[in-house]
Amino acid sequence: MKDLPETSRYNWSVYYQDSANGDFWGTRQPVKLKESSSDLFHVVTDKDTHRIDLISWKYYHDVRLWWIIAEVNNIANPLEIPAGTILRIPDYKRIQMKVLA
């Protein structure tokens, strides 16, 4: 997805691509959520380095919302999060109002 024409819709999208082999996974619109006092923080352990879906389940009870955690933490490849990384987890009520509405 490099060298896209200036008019490409993908220029304004977040796209996921495997850094190892270049496989394209998909796109979505960007989400902007400023830091808030209601945000939580999660330290990635060895158990969840490749399982951002399980982190999503822990805080949102929905594995499909992993992409929100990836977006607010500027994670390009959700399968490559090193242990010890501190993730900001936006409050579920905020994402309900601003993202999922």
Side-chain angles (χ1 to χ4, degrees):
M1 306 249 1
K2 295 178 183 175
D3 302 322
L4 296 170
E6 191 175 311
T7 56
S8 173
R9 67 181 173 188
Y10 297 110
N11 283 329
W12 296 278
S13 298
V14 175
Y15 63 92
Y16 293 97
Q17 188 172 12
D18 189 317
S19 60
N21 62 19
D23 285 350
F24 175 68
W25 295 335
T27 65
R28 63 173 175 72
Q29 291 300 310
V31 174
K32 303 295 181 204
L33 285 173
K34 294 182 181 180
E35 239 179 275
S36 169
S37 60
S38 64
D39 292 345
L40 301 172
F41 294 89
H42 176 86
V43 178
V44 176
T45 65
D46 287 333
K47 284 185 173 184
D48 52 28
T49 56
H50 302 294
R51 297 303 309 264
I52 196 169
D53 58 331
L54 296 182
I55 298 169
S56 176
W57 177 258
K58 179 178 181 175
Y59 294 97
Y60 301 140
H61 298 288
D62 189 337
V63 295
R64 297 170 298 170
L65 299 179
W66 65 268
W67 63 271
I68 294 171
I69 298 169
E71 173 73 12
V72 300
N73 290 284
N74 297 316
I75 296 170
N77 185 341
L79 302 176
E80 295 177 2
I81 306 170
T85 301
I86 299 172
L87 299 176
R88 180 168 68 96
I89 312 292
D91 179 61
Y92 184 72
K93 288 182 182 177
R94 271 184 72 219
I95 65 167
Q96 257 186 321
M97 291 186 296
K98 295 190 178 261
V99 179
L100 304 177

